[in-house]
């Protein structure tokens, strides 16, 4: 329990820190001066320095994603579907709104603001999110659930995994810690963390739902905050639930003569039997 509280505190501290950094970064906007600087210098200044430089930049009060959502809704509700809407759709994508979400947002707005306005907005949104796939959407949505990065495709260990996983090394000093992310259904092979003394591995669930199983024992569910202690020289596997993305922190416990021994995959039959 104490460990759990400490980790929660670490999460809170990291979140506050991130927000503080974001709040210091003012948005630089030049559209006003670029397009109207000679014709209407005061309007250009208000657009670039006040609307974007001050109001949009108050990210410690309201995040950029929320501000994009409000701006899109306001523009579409007025029937403004010109280049300014295109600009704000692109900005919304940069601020983390996914293809799946923009489709849902515009459908919702359509009922309140008017069907033809949604049609007009969809025409522009399709161009902006044209290249995105639903798989990328799911990964982006999962990233928003956790403060640790998903990292890069886990190619170095791909041979020992069923399905796609991602690896983000977090610490390479004192204790090695990585965030490991599994797509739904992904799990690693049976394996053993060998050591002649000490060693083993600790897992802490970060987001989503997953499993840990020691040979000869029932599988244990891992949820955000769940702490798993894996002794050295014990055969086991870990991974996502069939219907959920999953991420855990993996701590390499220091020991002597440590080495990983990778064994056979967890069969589909055994995996499907998990409840
Ligand atoms: Mn392990």
């Amino acid at each position: 329990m104490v460990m759990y509280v400490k980790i929660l505190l670490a999460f809170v501290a990291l979140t506050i820190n991130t927000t503080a950094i974001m709040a210091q970064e003012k948005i630089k906007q030049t559209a006003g001066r670029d397009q109207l600087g000679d014709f209407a210098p005061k309007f250009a200044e208000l657009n670039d320095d006040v609307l974007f430089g001050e109001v949009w930049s108050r990210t410690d009060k309201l995040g950029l994603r929320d501000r994009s959502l409000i701006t899109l809704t306001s523009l579409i509700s007025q029937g403004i579907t010109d280049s300014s809407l295109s600009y704000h759709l692109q900005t919304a994508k940069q601020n983390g709104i996914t293809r799946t979400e923009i489709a849902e947002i515009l459908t919702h707005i359509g009922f309140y603001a008017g069907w033809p306005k949604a049609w007009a907005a969809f025409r522009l949104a399709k161009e902006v999110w044209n290249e995105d796939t639903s798989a990328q959407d799911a990964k982006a949505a999962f990233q928003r659930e956790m403060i640790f990065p998903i990292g890069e495709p886990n190619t170095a260990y791909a041979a020992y995994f069923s399905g796609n996983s991602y690896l983000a090394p977090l610490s390479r000093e004192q204790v090695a810690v990585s965030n490991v992310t599994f797509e739904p259904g992904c799990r690693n092979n049976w394996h053993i963390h060998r050591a002649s003394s000490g060693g083993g591995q600790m897992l802490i669930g970060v987001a989503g739902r997953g499993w840990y199983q020691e040979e000869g024992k029932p599988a244990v569910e891992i949820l955000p905050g769940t702490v798993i202690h894996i002794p050295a020289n014990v055969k086991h596997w870990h991974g996502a639930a069939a219907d959920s993305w999953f991420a855990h922190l993996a701590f390499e416990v220091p020991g002597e003569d440590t080495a990983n021994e990778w064994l056979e995959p967890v069969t589909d039959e055994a995996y499907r039997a998990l409840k």
Side-chain angles (χ1 to χ4, degrees):
M1 187 61 197
V2 172
M3 188 64 196
Y4 182 73
V5 170
K6 275 186 186 164
I7 289 157
L8 269 184
L9 286 174
F11 281 15
V12 170
L14 255 172
T15 307
I16 289 167
N17 196 24
T18 308
T19 309
I21 290 165
M22 282 173 66
Q24 290 162 5
E25 286 178 12
K26 282 208 168 187
I27 292 167
K28 285 206 179 71
Q29 174 63 268
T30 61
R33 288 190 174 85
D34 290 348
Q35 293 174 40
L36 288 169
D38 293 336
F39 193 81
K42 190 65 185 176
F43 185 93
E45 177 198 323
L46 291 169
N47 186 80
D48 295 352
D49 301 346
V50 179
L51 174 54
F52 285 93
E54 292 186 27
V55 178
W56 269 90
S57 295
R58 289 163 61 81
T59 49
D60 55 332
K61 303 292 190 289
L62 188 69
L64 290 175
R65 187 174 177 280
D66 288 343
R67 289 180 187 274
S68 275
L69 192 47
I70 293 162
T71 307
L72 289 180
T73 307
S74 303
L75 292 175
I76 296 165
S77 298
Q78 298 171 80
I80 296 175
T81 53
D82 64 2
S83 59
S84 70
L85 181 59
S86 278
Y87 168 82
H88 280 291
L89 287 166
Q90 279 156 13
T91 305
K93 184 178 171 181
Q94 283 161 21
N95 290 339
I97 292 179
T98 65
R99 175 182 166 141
T100 306
E101 287 169 335
I102 194 65
E104 199 65 24
I105 289 163
L106 298 183
T107 303
H108 195 98
I109 292 175
F111 275 84
Y112 287 90
W115 207 242
K117 290 171 181 166
W119 265 110
F122 268 122
R123 188 177 57 78
L124 299 176
K126 266 185 80 175
E127 291 169 9
V128 174
W129 277 269
N130 191 29
E131 311 262 293
D132 293 46
T133 66
S134 55
Q136 286 172 324
D137 270 24
K139 188 176 162 215
F142 185 66
Q143 177 64 84
R144 284 206 304 275
E145 285 184 42
M146 65 176 171
I147 57 167
F148 298 114
I150 288 178
E152 300 301 320
N154 190 9
T155 48
Y157 293 89
Y160 311 120
F161 281 67
S162 302
N164 292 317
S165 65
Y166 300 84
L167 188 66
L170 302 177
S171 162
R172 284 293 171 261
E173 293 174 40
Q174 295 187 307
V175 176
V177 182
S178 293
N179 189 37
V180 187
T181 299
F182 304 75
E183 286 183 353
C186 174
R187 67 271 186 185
N188 52 31
N189 286 8
W190 288 99
H191 62 279
I192 301 169
H193 304 290
R194 294 280 181 199
S196 58
S197 71
Q201 187 181 40
M202 267 183 66
L203 308 178
I204 301 178
V206 172
R209 192 170 74 92
W211 296 107
Y212 165 68
Q213 187 171 30
E214 286 182 19
E215 189 178 38
K217 295 185 182 177
V220 177
E221 185 179 55
I222 307 180
L223 295 172
T226 304
V227 179
I228 300 286
H229 298 275
I230 308 171
N233 308 309
V234 167
K235 184 175 172 180
H236 68 279
W237 67 270
H238 25 114
D243 60 354
S244 175
W245 282 72
F246 174 59
H248 67 52
L249 298 182
F251 296 73
E252 287 176 31
V253 182
E256 287 179 27
D257 307 316
T258 58
N260 286 350
E261 184 180 345
W262 291 98
L263 303 164
E264 72 279 8
V266 178
T267 63
D268 287 343
E269 192 182 17
Y271 181 77
R272 274 198 298 266
L274 298 172
K275 291 274 155 45

